[in-house]
Amino acid sequence: MEPGRAGWVLLLLLLPALGAAAPGEFDPYRVLGVGRSSSQADIKKAYKRLAREWHPDKNKDPGAEDKFIQISKAYEILSNEEKRANFDRYGDAGESQGFSQQQHRQFHRFHDGFYFDESFFHFPFNSERRDTSDEKYLLHFSHYINEIVPDSFKKPYLIKITSDWCFSCIHIEPVWKEVAQELEALGAGIGVVHAGYERRLAHHLGAHSTPTLLGLINGKITFFHNAVVRENLRQFVENLLPGNLVEKITDKNYIRFLSDWRKDNKPHVLLFDHMPVVPLLYKLTAFAYRDYLSFGYVYVGLRGTEELSSQYNINVYTPTMMVFKEHIDRPADVVQAREMKKQLIDDFLSQNKFLMVARLTSQRLFQELCPVKKSHRQRKHCVVLLTGEGEKFAEAYEAFLTFAVANTKDTLKFVHVYSDRQPEFADALLMDEEKYHGRSAVVILERRNNAGKIAYKALEEAWQGSKEDNFILLDLLDQLRTDPSLLSSETVVADLNDELAPMFLIRWFYSTLDYISDCWDSLFHSNWREMMPLLSLLFSALFILFGTVIVQAFSDSSDTRDAPPSGKEETATKTEKNDASFSKESNSRIPKKGFVEVTELTDINYTSNLVRLRPGHMNVVLILSNSTKTPLLQKFALEVYTFTGSSSLHFSFLSLDKHREWLEYLLEFAQDAAPIPNQYDKHFLERDYTGYVLALNGHKKYFCLFKPHRSGDEGGTLGSCEDYDALQHTEARGKSSCSPGSKSIKNKLHKLSFWMERLLEGSLQRFYIPSWPALD
C-alpha cells in the first residue's frame, strides 16, 4: 500500500473516535430531563419547573446557583431550533452554537466523496484572508434597528451581506472596496452583514443567499440585481434618491425658484458647475438637508444661463455654491472651491439652515430655533413677530426683517408667526387683547421646558416698524442681557400646527405607490416562498369580496319582499338620524358604549387582535396578574373610559403569570424606558410588571410604553380610593375594594389618562420591533 493512501485510511479510522469524543460532557437534554424527540412545549414546561425548583433565592442548596445556570444554558440551546439541530448533529454545546449552521455544512470535497470540515484542518481560508476593511462597516441587529434605520432618512445606505466560504464574495471584493470608499466620501452610508454571525439581521433584511447587495433609504430596502461593477453600483445608489431633490435652473426660472422662500419657508441653494449632469455629491447633500433647504443646479456651460452667471458674477471655471434667503438680488453666503468636498459643503450649509426671520410652521422648527435653556449661562431668546398675511402687514414685516439683519447675535433668534394659522400660540402670548387685533405684535420669549412652559414679555404697543418701535425693542434687548427677570410673564403654549404637512390623500397616494413598487419588485426578483404571504393576502381579499357580494345579493332579494315603511315610520327614522348626527357632531369624544370592553389577549385571538390589526388601529394592553386582576381592571376602565369613543382603539389585558416571556421579549426593545436585566439573572421570575400598559400598533410593528406611577409622587392622591360603582355608565359587578392593598395597586395607573392623551396626539416615544413574537 502506498504511504499516501495508508495515511488516508488511518485518518478515516480515527474519524469515528474523534466524533465520539466531540460532544463533551454537557448534555442539555439530560439537564432538563427531556428526550430528544420532545416538543418545544415540553421543553419549556420542563425548564419552568426546574427554574422554579433551583432558583437560588428559593433553593438554599450550595450547588443551586450552578444548577440554575446549567438549566438556563440547556434551555437556551434547546429552545432555539438552529442551536438544537447543531447539537443533535455535532454535539456542540459551546460558543460555536452562535455561528451559522451553514458553517458546519461547508466541507472540502476530497478524492472518493470524502468530506472534511475546515475547522478540522484549520485552513486559513476566509477568516484570515478576508479584507479587514469591512470590519468598520459590520452591522449588528440592534445597531441596525436603532441607528442605521433612523439614519437612512438622512442618507442612503449600501449594504453587503457576506459569509464564510463564499467564493462570489471574494470575486466582488475589489469592486466593493473601491465603491464603498468612494460613496462614503460622498456622503452615503456603507454596511456589511456577516450572515454566519448575524443570521437574525440577514433574515430581517430578506437575504437568503450570499453575496447579496441592497440599498436602504427612508427605512425601505431595495435589492441590487445587476452586475457588480462600479458604474452599476453608483447608479443604483443614485436611483435610490428621490428624483425631485435638485431642480435644473436657467435664466427663465431662477427668479421663480429663489422667490419660493415665502411658500416653502426655506433658504435656496444654487450650485454653479461646468458638469452637464448634477454631481452625486450634490444630490446626496440635497437629500441630507431637504428638510431645511431647497436646491438648484446651474450648468454654466449650457446656453441660457448667461444672464444668471452675469447677475451674480460667477466664475464659470470654479464650482460655486450660493445660499439665498429673504433677498434674492444678492446671496446671503457664498463658497468657492476647485473641489467641493463633503466636509466643506456640510460646514457651509449647517450655518445657513434657516432664513433670517424664519416663519414658525411646525413644533419641530420651533424647538430648533428656540431651544430650551440648559443653564443660566446659556440663555437663548426668541424675538417673535406675530403678524398676518397680505399687503396690510408687509410694511411691519419688512421693518422687523431689517431690524433682525442689523442685530444678529448667537443668543438671539428672530422668527415670525402668522396668527391666523397658529391661533392657539398667538392667544397664549397676547391674551386676546383688543389693542393687537388686526395689527402686528412683538414678543420676546424664552422656553423653560419641553412641556410648553415659556417666560415672555410683549411690547406694550402694537408693532408698526417705526423708529420709535425699533428703539423700544433695542432697549429691551439690551436690558435683557443684564436682567433676565425682565421676562416676567409665564404661560404654557400648545404644540404648533404643522402648516406644510402634505394632505392625507397625498400621503395615502405616495404610500400606495411605494407598496405597488415593492410588490412589483418582489414579483420579478423574489422566489415563490417569499411571495406566499402576498398571494395568501390577495386570495383572502378576493374570497371576502366575492363572499360579501353573494351575501349582499341574497339579503337584497329578501329585503325586497318586505313592505315599504309607512309615512310615520319614515318621519320617525329621519328624526332619529338627525338626532344621531347632531349628537355625533356636538361631542366626538363621547363614548359610543356605556361600558368599557376589555378582552383578554390570548393565543387564540392574538393574531386578529394584534398581528393583523388594521392600519391606524391600536390595541391598548394592561399587564396584570391573578392577584391584581380585579382592582387593576377597575382602575383601567375608569382611566380609559373617555377614550372608548374612538373606533381605532381596542382594549385588552394580558396575564403576567401566563405570558411573562412574551412581555420581556417586547420590553427588550424599550431599554431606555424600561431597562431589563439579563434574562437569566436571579430575579427574572420575580420582576413585577403589573400596571404596565402597552399601546401596540400591529400594522407598523411598534409600541408605546406606560410605566406604573410610583407611590409617593403625589401624596394627595395616594390616600383616595376611587369608587368604581359611582359611574353609571360602567357595568361593575360588586363593590370596589378600599383596602390599603387595592389603593396602592390602583395608584399604579395614576395619570394613565394623560398618557392616553399623548398617545392620541402622537407625541409618545415609539419602540419598533422586527416582528411580533408568538404568544404561547
Side-chain angles (χ1 to χ4, degrees):
M1 182 179 296
E2 298 178 3
R5 185 176 298 275
W8 287 115
V9 172
L10 179 61
L11 181 61
L12 292 176
L13 292 175
L14 289 174
L15 282 177
L18 292 172
E25 298 180 357
F26 183 77
D27 184 359
Y29 292 102
R30 179 173 54 81
V31 172
L32 294 182
V34 295
R36 290 183 175 267
S37 59
S38 300
S39 64
Q40 285 294 334
D42 295 335
I43 292 173
K44 182 179 291 186
K45 187 182 299 182
Y47 165 68
K48 288 184 176 180
R49 175 178 56 81
L50 291 173
R52 292 190 183 96
E53 178 183 353
W54 291 96
H55 196 282
D57 289 349
K58 297 182 179 180
N59 194 320
K60 302 306 180 182
D61 191 292
E65 185 173 356
D66 294 337
K67 181 68 174 178
F68 183 77
I69 293 175
Q70 288 188 353
I71 293 170
S72 301
K73 181 179 179 182
Y75 179 69
E76 181 182 1
I77 295 172
L78 298 184
S79 63
N80 186 299
E81 292 295 343
E82 182 182 347
K83 295 181 180 180
R84 183 179 179 182
N86 285 347
F87 180 83
D88 291 341
R89 294 183 181 183
Y90 312 106
D92 185 5
E95 294 299 324
S96 60
Q97 287 291 332
F99 295 152
S100 168
Q101 188 174 346
Q102 291 182 354
Q103 211 169 1
H104 292 284
R105 296 176 179 175
Q106 304 299 337
F107 298 89
H108 285 304
R109 190 176 183 92
F110 250 176
H111 290 284
D112 300 328
F114 294 112
Y115 293 86
F116 297 93
D117 188 1
E118 178 198 6
S119 61
F120 181 79
F121 290 102
H122 300 286
F123 288 141
F125 185 68
N126 270 1
S127 60
E128 295 184 16
R129 289 179 54 187
R130 187 170 61 236
D131 194 343
T132 57
S133 62
D134 280 350
E135 293 183 359
K136 66 176 181 178
Y137 303 127
L138 287 177
L139 302 180
H140 305 287
F141 185 82
S142 59
H143 176 230
Y144 172 82
I145 294 295
N146 298 324
E147 297 183 26
I148 301 300
V149 172
D151 199 40
S152 68
F153 289 84
K154 299 178 182 178
K155 62 182 178 183
Y157 274 82
L158 181 65
I159 300 176
K160 176 183 70 172
I161 291 89
T162 184
S163 65
D164 290 338
W165 289 94
C166 174
F167 291 95
S168 299
C169 299
I170 301 174
H171 179 71
I172 69 171
E173 193 65 33
V175 178
W176 165 261
K177 182 178 180 181
E178 177 188 1
V179 174
Q181 292 177 349
E182 179 183 0
L183 292 178
E184 187 180 26
L186 296 178
I190 304 297
V192 175
V193 178
H194 194 290
Y197 302 97
E198 287 292 334
R199 176 169 293 274
R200 182 184 180 187
L201 178 54
H203 180 74
H204 176 77
L205 295 174
H208 301 288
S209 62
T210 55
T212 297
L213 298 178
L214 56 89
L216 174 71
I217 189 169
N218 292 332
K220 176 185 174 183
I221 295 172
T222 304
F223 285 88
F224 176 78
H225 300 289
N226 296 326
V228 182
V229 295
R230 176 180 176 274
E231 291 75 15
N232 288 347
L233 288 173
R234 279 181 56 95
Q235 190 62 43
F236 172 69
V237 173
E238 190 166 353
N239 290 340
L240 294 175
L241 299 169
N244 58 348
L245 284 173
V246 182
E247 184 176 351
K248 295 289 186 68
I249 304 300
T250 62
D251 293 342
K252 297 180 180 180
N253 63 354
Y254 81 95
I255 295 180
R256 188 268 310 160
F257 173 75
L258 298 179
S259 299
D260 280 346
W261 67 268
R262 294 183 181 273
K263 182 172 62 177
D264 53 28
N265 195 37
K266 298 177 182 178
H268 285 61
V269 183
L270 285 180
L271 176 65
F272 297 81
D273 205 347
H274 55 274
M275 300 291 292
V277 296
V278 182
L280 179 57
L281 170 62
Y282 196 53
K283 288 186 177 181
L284 291 170
T285 302
F287 181 76
Y289 290 91
R290 68 189 186 282
D291 292 336
Y292 301 97
L293 303 161
S294 294
F295 292 83
Y297 181 74
V298 181
Y299 171 35
V300 293
L302 180 69
R303 181 177 299 176
T305 61
E306 296 86 355
E307 177 185 342
L308 183 57
S309 300
S310 176
Q311 170 75 16
Y312 301 112
N313 195 22
I314 300 300
N315 182 356
V316 296
Y317 300 103
T318 304
T320 304
M321 183 175 290
M322 293 183 172
V323 60
F324 294 82
K325 297 186 178 180
E326 285 87 347
H327 301 107
I328 66 172
D329 57 335
R330 62 182 184 277
D333 205 351
V334 181
V335 63
Q336 281 186 334
R338 293 193 176 274
E339 286 190 49
M340 284 286 184
K341 298 291 185 180
K342 179 180 180 300
Q343 187 62 46
L344 176 65
I345 296 177
D346 286 343
D347 293 341
F348 175 71
L349 296 181
S350 61
Q351 299 174 5
N352 295 281
K353 290 167 55 177
F354 305 105
L355 296 169
M356 295 301 298
V357 182
R359 180 161 59 92
L360 297 183
T361 56
S362 66
Q363 182 67 18
R364 178 190 63 83
L365 195 59
F366 181 43
Q367 292 172 348
E368 289 197 53
L369 289 171
C370 304
V372 176
K373 76 164 187 177
K374 298 181 179 179
S375 67
H376 293 287
R377 295 182 179 180
Q378 296 178 348
R379 291 183 176 274
K380 291 195 176 182
H381 301 95
C382 269
V383 185
V384 185
L385 173 68
L386 298 160
T387 184
E389 301 179 71
E391 294 297 329
K392 176 182 176 182
F393 302 93
E395 184 178 352
Y397 168 77
E398 292 295 336
F400 187 77
L401 175 60
T402 303
F403 182 90
V405 173
N407 293 274
T408 55
K409 296 178 182 179
D410 293 338
T411 58
L412 289 179
K413 288 291 184 181
F414 293 88
V415 296
H416 71 286
V417 175
Y418 287 157
S419 300
D420 55 343
R421 298 195 185 187
Q422 306 289 349
E424 294 182 1
F425 183 83
D427 292 342
L429 295 177
L430 302 181
M431 301 298 180
D432 200 23
E433 294 190 23
E434 186 68 28
K435 61 183 177 181
Y436 297 120
H437 284 184
R439 307 172 73 181
S440 300
V442 172
V443 176
I444 307 172
L445 64 85
E446 178 186 61
R447 292 183 64 221
R448 293 295 172 87
N449 58 31
N450 289 317
K453 183 178 180 181
I454 64 171
Y456 72 98
K457 180 177 181 59
L459 266 65
E460 296 295 337
E461 300 296 332
W463 174 268
Q464 298 178 351
S466 63
K467 290 184 178 181
E468 183 180 357
D469 291 341
N470 280 266
F471 286 131
I472 294 174
L473 179 56
L474 186 61
D475 183 57
L476 283 175
L477 294 177
D478 288 338
Q479 294 181 42
L480 190 61
R481 289 189 303 173
T482 58
D483 184 16
S485 62
L486 186 66
L487 306 182
S488 56
S489 302
E490 290 189 351
T491 187
V492 176
V493 295
D495 289 351
L496 275 70
N497 304 321
D498 192 351
E499 300 177 14
L500 303 180
M503 297 174 57
F504 170 76
L505 290 178
I506 296 177
R507 295 200 304 268
W508 179 85
F509 176 74
Y510 283 120
S511 299
T512 304
L513 286 182
D514 290 340
Y515 183 75
I516 294 175
S517 175
D518 292 341
C519 295
W520 185 264
D521 184 71
S522 299
L523 182 64
F524 285 95
H525 298 293
S526 299
N527 55 39
W528 286 105
R529 182 171 64 86
E530 297 174 359
M531 289 295 293
M532 286 305 296
L534 179 62
L535 294 176
S536 175
L537 178 62
L538 179 62
F539 283 114
S540 299
L542 292 175
F543 177 79
I544 294 173
L545 177 62
F546 284 108
T548 304
V549 171
I550 294 173
V551 172
Q552 187 67 31
F554 279 106
S555 63
D556 290 345
S557 61
S558 62
D559 291 342
T560 54
R561 301 170 190 170
D562 301 335
S566 62
K568 293 182 178 180
E569 292 176 348
E570 289 183 359
T571 304
T573 303
K574 290 180 180 179
T575 304
E576 291 177 359
K577 289 182 178 178
N578 292 336
D579 293 342
S581 63
F582 174 78
S583 62
K584 184 179 294 185
E585 292 174 0
S586 62
N587 190 358
S588 60
R589 290 296 302 275
I590 296 179
K592 299 178 181 179
K593 303 175 182 179
F595 60 93
V596 181
E597 184 175 328
V598 185
T599 59
E600 182 176 5
L601 195 63
T602 64
D603 55 344
I604 298 175
N605 60 13
Y606 179 68
T607 301
S608 60
N609 285 8
L610 175 60
V611 179
R612 295 183 180 175
L613 208 59
R614 287 178 292 174
H617 286 238
M618 299 189 75
N619 197 335
V620 182
V621 181
L622 168 68
I623 308 300
L624 48 77
S625 61
N626 291 334
S627 60
T628 62
K629 183 175 181 179
T630 301
L632 278 182
L633 277 178
Q634 291 178 353
K635 181 63 174 177
F636 183 69
L638 286 172
E639 292 288 330
V640 305
Y641 177 75
T642 56
F643 304 93
T644 55
S646 173
S647 60
S648 62
L649 289 180
H650 310 271
F651 301 95
S652 306
F653 69 89
L654 184 80
S655 174
L656 185 62
D657 304 316
K658 301 177 184 177
H659 307 296
R660 174 181 290 271
E661 293 181 9
W662 179 88
L663 176 63
E664 289 198 345
Y665 172 81
L666 224 62
L667 292 181
E668 289 180 2
F669 294 91
Q671 293 294 331
D672 293 340
I676 305 303
N678 186 279
Q679 180 182 2
Y680 304 115
D681 69 352
K682 62 181 181 179
H683 299 293
F684 85 108
L685 289 174
E686 301 176 354
R687 289 193 291 270
D688 182 20
Y689 298 117
T690 57
Y692 278 56
V693 179
L694 288 81
L696 309 172
N697 190 315
H699 179 69
K700 292 188 176 181
K701 296 184 180 64
Y702 72 80
F703 66 92
C704 302
L705 177 65
F706 171 83
K707 295 179 66 177
H709 174 67
R710 294 182 299 172
S711 298
D713 285 357
E714 293 183 22
T717 62
L718 295 181
S720 63
C721 181
E722 296 84 0
D723 189 1
Y724 182 72
D725 296 318
L727 295 179
Q728 298 180 359
H729 52 255
T730 55
E731 291 187 351
R733 297 180 179 180
K735 295 183 179 180
S736 302
S737 173
C738 289
S739 63
S742 66
K743 291 180 183 179
S744 60
I745 292 174
K746 286 185 177 183
N747 276 314
K748 286 189 173 186
L749 298 182
H750 185 57
K751 294 186 178 181
L752 177 61
S753 59
F754 296 103
W755 182 82
M756 290 291 298
E757 289 281 359
R758 295 185 60 194
L759 174 67
L760 295 181
E761 294 171 359
S763 59
L764 291 175
Q765 184 178 4
R766 299 177 179 180
F767 304 102
Y768 289 86
I769 64 172
S771 61
W772 294 111
L775 189 70
D776 297 330

